[in-house]
Amino acid sequence: MSPLERIAIAFSGLLGASGVAAAAASSHAGAALLGPYSLIALSHAPAILALALARLPRIFNWALIALMAGAGLFCTDLALRYLAGGSPLPLLAPAGGMALILGWLLLIIAGLFGRRN
């Protein structure tokens, strides 16, 4: 297993666990920022895990990296806004969202043009 695959598997676990915690906190505390956090975390954790475990050609790694970066940036921004009342870098969420879109677009390209192992 490559270092990227190990990191991706651990990151998907972190996203999944924090997404469940954010969903619970959102439903009990009514925190508006935690709903989108849980949505992004819980929808991207399985995708990242699947890409890490699938033994796909290397071109798929770019999609994996973009999805991890995007989910990380987006969720970090929302967590900082919730915990600290604001984010020191207000463009983290938009940058994360753009990276997520890029990751999904790279997945399309990898699927269409990637070669089999």
Side-chain angles (χ1 to χ4, degrees), residues 19-95:
V20 170
S26 176
S27 67
H28 294 294
L33 291 171
L34 296 180
Y37 180 109
S38 66
L39 176 67
I40 293 298
L42 292 174
S43 61
H44 287 83
I48 290 168
L49 180 61
L51 284 171
L53 293 175
R55 301 284 183 200
L56 296 166
R58 287 184 188 234
I59 190 172
F60 285 88
N61 287 348
W62 293 107
L64 177 60
I65 291 167
L67 289 174
M68 287 193 311
L73 290 172
F74 192 90
C75 290
T76 297
D77 184 67
L78 293 180
L80 286 173
R81 288 175 193 270
Y82 174 71
L83 295 171
S87 177
L89 300 169
L91 294 178
L92 282 183

